[in-house]
């Protein structure tokens, strides 16, 4: 049956404007038409009156970790949970994410390989309620690098699923990329530098070489897959961009040369600039490792300053939250932080919708409210303001209403 969603206002992220009194027609899983104020609704359509609400495209998060239980305070926890337990935790995480309005996500890696593939497939076949997912399968990382479980005794041998993506040579990279994609992943996640949340690693230090990353991009291209690079340090960012990655994640120490390279190559930036506040507020009480808390303090303001410069320069900005280190469903809090550091409210929402879809290569299907695209829609009460997206009142995915507190 044809559905007609009436709303006081519709956020058009493509045109960068808010339309008053629009009606969105939904036919099955897709948007059929957008009616302007005063245009008649087709006879027989089921009308959903959302009242004084702002309707927007379903949100897109480019950097999530849905599979598993957050273990930043106790990394050994990863070894205390079975793959089945991690997958079941992912069921809850996926539900919380989509009910918060994020109808599409890029899940950028798990320490235990391919748990994310199983979760994605369960969502896709309707077994689990959750967002549309593109998944990375496993991290491509150096031994003892940012994508590894570190801090364990030297004589402990990790199971293969925890070191599936470890590489030493360029040929190793090609092999791991093939194995990860053959294992069901949609994209490749490189760990180009050390990590804030990995014991013993230095966020600013390069780990993968430019040659290795170039090999990963080339190998993935044969399969039509994009490559995302975790990179905090300035040199790691530049090496990743020159290698041809689709997006850089975090970019805490991004410098002006790196910004120029990102503009030249059209590289997307996915920076988790809100999460540091969560760590500062809750990390110590939750028993997080002192090294991680220190590195968070050292990188947080540098990342935000770099983000502001990237926005001003015109770098392609997507929305990436790093949900999983903090509870799923809270990531929309980052929208206000993006505005605080240089984006307009409409630009921030575009980053979390259409630009994210473009980064994923899914802009023909999601990211805006337009005829032919999936009917992924969210609504918030009252006028359009990014702060309201922390309390989404209506969620539709694929034309099915998952949450409605408005009518």
């Amino acid at each position: 049956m044809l559905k007609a969603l009436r709303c006081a206002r519709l956020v058009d992220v493509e045109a960068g404007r808010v339309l008053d009194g629009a009606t969105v027609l939904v036919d099955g899983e897709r948007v059929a038409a957008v009616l302007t104020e005063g245009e008649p609704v087709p006879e027989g359509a089921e009308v959903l009156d959302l009242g004084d609400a702002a309707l927007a495209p379903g949100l897109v998060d480019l950097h999530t970790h849905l599979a598993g239980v957050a273990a930043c305070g106790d990394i050994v926890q990863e070894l205390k949970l079975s793959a089945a337990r991690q997958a079941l935790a992912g069921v809850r995480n996926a539900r919380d994410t989509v009910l918060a309005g994020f109808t599409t996500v890029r899940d950028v890696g798990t320490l235990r390989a391919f748990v994310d593939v199983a979760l994605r497939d369960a969502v896709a076949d309707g077994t689990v309620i959750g967002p549309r997912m593109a998944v990375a399968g496993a991290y491509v990382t150096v031994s003892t690098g940012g994508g590894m479980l570190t801090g364990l005794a030297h004589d402990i041998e990790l199971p293969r699923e925890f070191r599936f993506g470890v590489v030493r040579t360029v040929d190793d990279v090609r092999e791991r990329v093939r194995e990860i994609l053959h294992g069901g992943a949609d994209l490749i996640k490189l760990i180009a530098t050390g990590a804030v949340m990995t014991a013993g690693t230095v966020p600013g230090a390069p780990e993968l070489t430019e040659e290795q990353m170039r090999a990963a991009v080339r190998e993935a291209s044969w399969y039509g897959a994009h490559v995302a690079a975790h990179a905090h340090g300035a040199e790691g960012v530049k090496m990743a961009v020159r290698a041809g990655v689709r997006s850089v994640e975090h970019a805490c120490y991004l410098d002006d040369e790196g910004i120029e390279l990102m503009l030249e190559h059209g590289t997307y930036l996915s920076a988790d600039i809100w999460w540091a506040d969560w760590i500062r507020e809750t990390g110590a009480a939750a028993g997080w490792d002192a090294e991680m808390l220190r590195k968070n303090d050292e990188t947080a303001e540098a990342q935000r300053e770099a983000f502001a410069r990237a926005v001003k320069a015109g770098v392609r900005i997507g929305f990436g939250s790093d949900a999983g280190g903090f509870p799923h469903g809270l990531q929309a809090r980052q929208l206000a932080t993006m505005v605080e550091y240089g984006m307009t409210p409409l630009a921030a929402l575009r980053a979390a919708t259409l630009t994210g879809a473009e980064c994923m290569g899914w802009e023909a299907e999601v990211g805006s409210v337009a005829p032919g695209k999936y009917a992924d829609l969210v609504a918030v009460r009252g006028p359009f303001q990014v702060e309201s997206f922390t309390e989404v009142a209506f969620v539709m995915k694929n034309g099915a209403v998952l949450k409605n507190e408005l009518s």
Side-chain angles (χ1 to χ4, degrees):
M1 174 185 288
L2 194 67
K3 296 185 179 74
L5 278 64
R6 285 179 175 160
C7 56
R9 50 198 70 87
L10 173 66
V11 185
D12 182 351
V13 294
E14 293 192 54
R17 60 181 180 173
V18 179
L19 304 174
D20 292 330
T23 299
V24 179
L25 297 183
V26 175
D27 188 2
E29 295 186 338
R30 304 273 179 170
V31 173
V34 178
L35 306 180
T36 57
E37 191 170 17
E39 284 191 84
V41 172
E43 187 175 346
E46 178 189 356
V47 177
L48 292 176
D49 192 340
L50 303 182
D52 185 36
L55 189 65
L59 303 177
V60 178
D61 191 340
L62 291 174
H63 195 119
T64 66
H65 301 279
L66 296 188
V69 177
C72 293
D74 176 17
I75 202 68
V76 179
Q77 180 176 308
E78 289 285 343
L79 300 175
K80 298 177 181 177
L81 302 173
S82 67
R85 177 69 183 88
Q86 289 185 321
L88 289 170
V91 171
R92 179 193 59 222
N93 298 337
R95 180 197 63 217
D96 291 348
T97 296
V98 75
L99 293 181
F102 288 85
T103 53
T104 299
V105 303
R106 201 176 56 163
D107 215 56
V108 287
T110 62
L111 288 167
R112 178 184 255 123
F114 302 123
V115 180
D116 53 354
V117 172
L119 180 61
R120 176 204 61 197
D121 293 348
V123 172
D125 69 17
T127 301
V128 171
I129 295 172
R132 186 176 292 100
M133 296 175 65
V135 302
Y139 302 120
V140 177
T141 183
V142 300
S143 178
T144 73
M148 288 286 290
L149 271 176
T150 61
L152 304 176
H154 71 276
D155 54 353
I156 292 177
E157 180 76 13
L158 287 170
R160 184 169 186 260
E161 61 263 35
F162 286 103
R163 47 187 174 83
F164 191 90
V166 172
V167 296
R168 289 175 175 80
T169 68
V170 168
D171 284 341
D172 284 349
V173 171
R174 294 192 183 101
E175 183 177 47
R176 294 303 176 275
V177 167
R178 287 195 302 273
E179 289 178 338
I180 290 169
L181 293 173
H182 291 165
D186 304 292
L187 68 139
I188 295 298
K189 172 71 173 297
L190 305 177
I191 306 299
T193 73
V196 172
M197 296 298 153
T198 304
T201 67
V202 176
E207 292 185 344
L208 290 171
T209 67
E210 187 172 330
E211 184 183 15
Q212 287 173 318
M213 290 190 279
R214 195 179 303 278
V217 170
R218 182 170 176 79
E219 195 68 32
S221 72
W222 301 125
Y223 300 89
H226 293 149
V227 176
H230 157 114
H232 289 289
E235 288 307 311
V237 169
K238 287 179 279 194
M239 290 160 61
V241 173
R242 288 193 296 263
V245 301
R246 182 74 166 184
S247 68
V248 171
E249 314 298 304
H250 311 300
C252 290
Y253 299 119
L254 175 66
D255 62 16
D256 290 341
E257 183 184 1
I259 288 173
E260 289 300 317
L261 280 171
M262 293 185 76
L263 290 169
E264 177 186 340
H265 288 261
T267 313
Y268 291 85
L269 174 62
S270 166
D272 49 337
I273 62 170
W274 170 74
W275 186 25
D277 290 341
W278 175 265
I279 298 172
R280 286 168 171 168
E281 292 169 8
T282 67
W288 282 31
D289 184 86
E291 178 194 346
M292 296 177 185
L293 295 177
R294 173 183 58 79
K295 289 193 287 188
N296 177 68
D297 288 339
E298 291 172 352
T299 57
E301 297 313 314
Q303 183 189 38
R304 291 170 177 183
E305 191 273 336
F307 178 86
R309 286 188 288 107
V311 170
K312 186 176 181 179
V315 171
R316 294 176 175 178
I317 307 290
F319 179 101
S321 72
D322 218 349
F326 61 87
H328 297 274
L330 300 183
Q331 52 262 60
R333 295 185 183 187
Q334 181 169 286
L335 287 168
T337 310
M338 295 169 79
V339 172
E340 181 181 354
Y341 286 89
M343 302 192 85
T344 67
L346 278 169
L349 189 66
R350 183 185 174 103
T353 52
L354 187 57
T355 305
E358 290 169 349
C359 179
M360 296 175 72
W362 289 5
E363 69 272 19
E365 303 288 354
V366 298
S368 64
V369 183
K373 291 193 177 185
Y374 282 113
D376 290 0
L377 301 160
V378 300
V380 296
R381 294 178 177 87
F384 164 68
Q385 50 187 7
V386 292
E387 293 82 0
S388 298
F389 284 84
T390 61
E391 297 291 341
V392 167
F394 175 90
V395 179
M396 172 180 279
K397 180 194 167 198
N398 287 359
V401 177
L402 303 183
K403 179 180 182 179
N404 187 359
E405 299 173 352
L406 295 173
S407 64

